[in-house]
Amino acid sequence: MTLSLRERRRQETARHIQRATLELAMQSGLENVTTEEIAVASGVSARTFFNYFANKEAAAIGHPPNFSEEDKDVLRNGTASLAADLKLLLDKQIASMAEDEELLRMVGRVLRSNEKARGILEGFLMAERREIADCLSHRAINHHTAAALAKTVTDTIGGAIYLWEHDGNMSLGTALDTVWEGLIDASRTLSLPAD
Amino acid sequence: MTLSLRERRRQETARHIQRATLELAMQSGLENVTTEEIAVASGVSARTFFNYFANKEAAAIGHPPNFSEEDKDVLRNGTASLAADLKLLLDKQIASMAEDEELLRMVGRVLRSNEKARGILEGFLMAERREIADCLSHRAINHHTAAALAKTVTDTIGGAIYLWEHDGNMSLGTALDTVWEGLIDASRTLSLPAD
DNA sequence: GCAATATTTGCAGACTATGCAAGGATTGAG
DNA sequence: CTCAATCCTTGCATAGTCTGCAAATATTGC
């Protein structure tokens, strides 16, 4: 886990560029900011900007951290109910996001107004869902059930952030609990009466 | 519901451009097709192309049809179980998509390789989910439950198409049933043991 | 057939993104 | 410390995206 000087600098520059991108986007909207302006604000050349991110939308979103092996082990070999283990994962993810609420708010604002950014995020989420579904494959009835559960994870995080952004002074954790309850209610609705 | 000559021509040109875009994309990949080429293949000027679609990704996806009032009424005032009414809506949507499987296959292929296209589709889906959640607001326990149910609708359609695309000779309808079962199983998992 | 209204088109111009090659910085070995 | 290998940054050239504008063309309703 020790990074070379080069790697540390690279990460730092990437974060730096993301900040600059988001701050400019908050002022004028990402559409109205040029890559040139972002590069200047980040202290790198326009060409170097594209060595770090494929485009300004990707710069605004940044490089999201991967799931830890620890988290995935809980999903694979957890002893509690599946629902409880999933909720645990959600709590952890939301807690880590709550560490920088301002960043989250800025990213959220970009995502709401920018189609390309939404597409890039979808790409990240697809990869995450694949990972989660993989971890669940032993515990779920079959592949499709695992996929449906994985989707609920990313959806619930998205829903919680959305609620937190729109409902004035609800904490991220409370928003998660609220959306989670809605999900459980929806699951009851779907599973109880039909067939 | 009668359209003027102008409106009919406009729709026809739009479909024409979508076809041309998709056919070129199948040959070389959408990334390697220029808007100029699409315009020539569609028989319009490069400038006119942009009067119809904001970009080539939007042209590939096309203008998806809205839900009919009839469909929405079933959601609002259906007498069967909510799960059954939702399944009905899904069956109808999938049946209408099955009318042009080649188009669906081409659009799917673009979506799998193009981030921007995924973002545009997400935009359409968000709007659909809002509509569905709105219809469900009276029948669901609360707003969050309705939102979770609406999300399952678009997710299930997406999942069914994905399955149909990848599993050799499964029909769209069978794919939908399979994904739907996975969803029901997932719902049972989430609703039964926890709390 | 004519005036009002919409659509198409070409053109100019700002912005995005990539390949390439030169120049600079970092690294590890001696 | 020094040198060679390696990696990173940068400027430049270039292909492509997309918008505003104004002239030309087509459609509509009267």
Side-chain angles (χ1 to χ4, degrees):
Chain A
M1 253 296 165
T2 48
L3 299 179
S4 72
L5 175 60
R6 242 178 199 149
E7 281 163 328
R8 247 179 302 132
R9 279 211 190 147
R10 195 169 177 82
Q11 288 197 1
E12 207 172 308
T13 307
R15 268 195 295 272
H16 209 251
I17 292 176
Q18 186 189 11
R19 285 266 159 214
T21 305
L22 286 171
E23 272 158 25
L24 288 171
M26 291 309 100
Q27 287 167 30
S28 350
L30 188 55
E31 340 278 332
N32 304 314
V33 177
T34 67
T35 53
E36 178 73 32
E37 289 171 317
I38 296 171
V40 170
S42 314
V44 297
S45 74
R47 190 63 188 79
T48 299
F49 169 82
F50 286 105
N51 289 348
Y52 280 85
F53 295 102
N55 48 60
K56 59 185 176 185
E57 286 78 16
I61 293 180
H63 300 307
N66 294 324
F67 288 120
S68 68
E69 275 308 316
E70 192 190 342
D71 293 338
K72 292 201 272 184
D73 264 349
V74 170
L75 284 189
R76 275 190 284 253
N77 312 313
T79 53
S81 72
L82 235 182
D85 285 338
L86 288 174
K87 182 63 165 48
L88 217 70
L89 179 72
L90 286 168
D91 285 334
K92 255 191 101 169
Q93 291 288 109
I94 286 286
S96 106
M97 286 175 175
E99 281 173 15
D100 196 341
E101 297 201 342
E102 201 199 339
L103 190 87
L104 194 58
R105 218 177 281 276
M106 291 193 290
V107 173
R109 206 164 129 193
V110 167
L111 285 172
R112 244 168 297 130
S113 71
N114 189 302
E115 285 178 340
K116 196 168 173 183
R118 276 201 294 271
I120 293 168
L121 181 69
E122 262 309 297
F124 287 136
L125 295 181
M126 276 170 62
E128 282 197 0
R129 281 195 288 266
R130 225 169 296 140
E131 267 193 294
I132 296 175
D134 223 57
C135 292
L136 294 179
S137 58
H138 302 299
R139 299 176 75 184
I141 297 174
N142 62 38
H143 184 258
H144 303 293
T145 307
L149 288 170
K151 204 139 181 51
T152 62
V153 172
T154 55
D155 287 356
T156 304
I157 292 178
I161 294 174
Y162 183 88
L163 179 59
W164 167 77
E165 281 172 327
H166 287 79
D167 185 321
N169 21 3
M170 183 181 280
S171 81
L172 260 170
T174 310
L176 174 62
D177 292 340
T178 308
V179 173
W180 179 256
E181 284 215 9
L183 173 69
I184 299 296
D185 287 338
S187 297
R188 278 204 199 97
T189 305
L190 286 178
S191 63
L192 285 187
D195 260 311
Chain B
M1 250 299 165
T2 47
L3 300 179
S4 72
L5 175 60
R6 242 178 199 149
E7 282 163 327
R8 247 179 302 130
R9 280 212 190 146
R10 194 170 178 84
Q11 288 196 1
E12 208 172 308
T13 308
R15 268 196 295 272
H16 209 250
I17 293 176
Q18 186 189 11
R19 285 265 160 215
T21 306
L22 286 171
E23 272 158 26
L24 287 170
M26 292 307 102
Q27 288 166 29
S28 351
L30 188 55
E31 339 279 330
N32 304 313
V33 177
T34 68
T35 52
E36 178 73 33
E37 289 171 317
I38 296 172
V40 170
S42 314
V44 297
S45 75
R47 189 62 188 81
T48 298
F49 169 81
F50 286 105
N51 288 348
Y52 279 87
F53 295 101
N55 47 59
K56 58 185 175 183
E57 285 79 15
I61 293 180
H63 299 308
N66 294 324
F67 288 120
S68 68
E69 275 308 314
E70 192 190 344
D71 295 337
K72 292 201 273 186
D73 264 349
V74 170
L75 284 189
R76 276 190 284 254
N77 313 312
T79 53
S81 72
L82 232 181
D85 284 338
L86 287 174
K87 182 63 165 48
L88 217 70
L89 179 71
L90 286 168
D91 285 335
K92 254 190 102 170
Q93 290 289 109
I94 287 286
S96 106
M97 286 175 174
E99 280 173 16
D100 196 341
E101 297 202 343
E102 201 200 338
L103 190 88
L104 194 58
R105 217 177 281 276
M106 291 194 289
V107 173
R109 206 163 129 194
V110 166
L111 285 171
R112 243 169 297 131
S113 69
N114 190 302
E115 284 178 341
K116 197 168 173 183
R118 276 200 294 272
I120 293 168
L121 180 68
E122 262 309 296
F124 287 135
L125 295 181
M126 277 170 61
E128 283 196 0
R129 281 195 288 265
R130 224 168 297 139
E131 266 192 295
I132 296 175
D134 223 55
C135 292
L136 295 179
S137 58
H138 302 297
R139 298 176 75 183
I141 298 173
N142 63 37
H143 184 258
H144 304 293
T145 307
L149 287 170
K151 205 140 181 52
T152 61
V153 171
T154 55
D155 286 357
T156 304
I157 292 177
I161 293 174
Y162 183 88
L163 179 58
W164 167 76
E165 281 172 327
H166 288 79
D167 185 322
N169 21 3
M170 183 181 278
S171 81
L172 260 170
T174 309
L176 173 62
D177 292 341
T178 308
V179 173
W180 177 256
E181 284 216 8
L183 173 69
I184 298 296
D185 287 338
S187 297
R188 276 204 201 99
T189 305
L190 286 178
S191 63
L192 285 188
D195 262 311

